[in-house]
């Protein structure tokens, strides 16, 4: 029997660098590895690059508190954004899986203490 993805609880990784600027969440990527420093000598590349989430992505990130499951986060998105987030769970699942693949979040089941 397969687990229901909507019942998984996303938790933020401590490894991800992020901050809130204004009303948007920004992920920060520091290019401090030796090879990156060498490339920066020859190519005008900043030491830090950012990825800015839109208002829906920012809201999802803020709702990830280690307590709410994917379904509950979806319900709060629906309340806040209405039809703008449809098809809700398809979009939310894709975004959550992307965050997970990047190592920015991980999942547990409700009641797990991990």
């Amino acid at each position: 029997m397969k687990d229901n993805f909507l019942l998984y609880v996303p938790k933020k990784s401590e490894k991800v660098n992020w901050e809130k600027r204004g009303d948007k969440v920004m992920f920060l990527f520091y290019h401090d590895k030796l090879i990156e420093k060498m490339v920066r000598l020859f190519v005008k590349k900043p030491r830090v690059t950012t990825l800015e989430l839109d208002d829906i992505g920012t809201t999802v990130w803020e709702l990830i508190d280690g307590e709410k499951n994917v379904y509950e986060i979806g319900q709060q998105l629906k309340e806040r954004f209405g039809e703008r987030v449809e098809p809700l769970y398809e979009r939310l699942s894709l975004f959550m899986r992307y965050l997970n693949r990047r190592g920015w979040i991980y999942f547990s089941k409700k009641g797990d203490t991990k």
Side-chain angles (χ1 to χ4, degrees), residues 31-67:
H31 306 290
D32 291 334
K33 295 178 184 164
L34 180 59
I35 189 73
E36 293 170 330
K37 287 179 181 179
M38 290 174 28
V39 167
R40 282 197 338 253
L41 291 173
F42 301 104
V43 180
K44 292 190 183 219
K45 184 173 181 170
R47 183 180 160 267
V48 179
T49 54
T50 60
L51 172 67
E52 179 180 324
L53 298 180
D54 65 4
D55 56 340
I56 296 172
T58 292
T59 301
V60 170
W61 186 255
E62 290 174 334
L63 289 171
I64 296 173
D65 61 3
E67 299 293 324

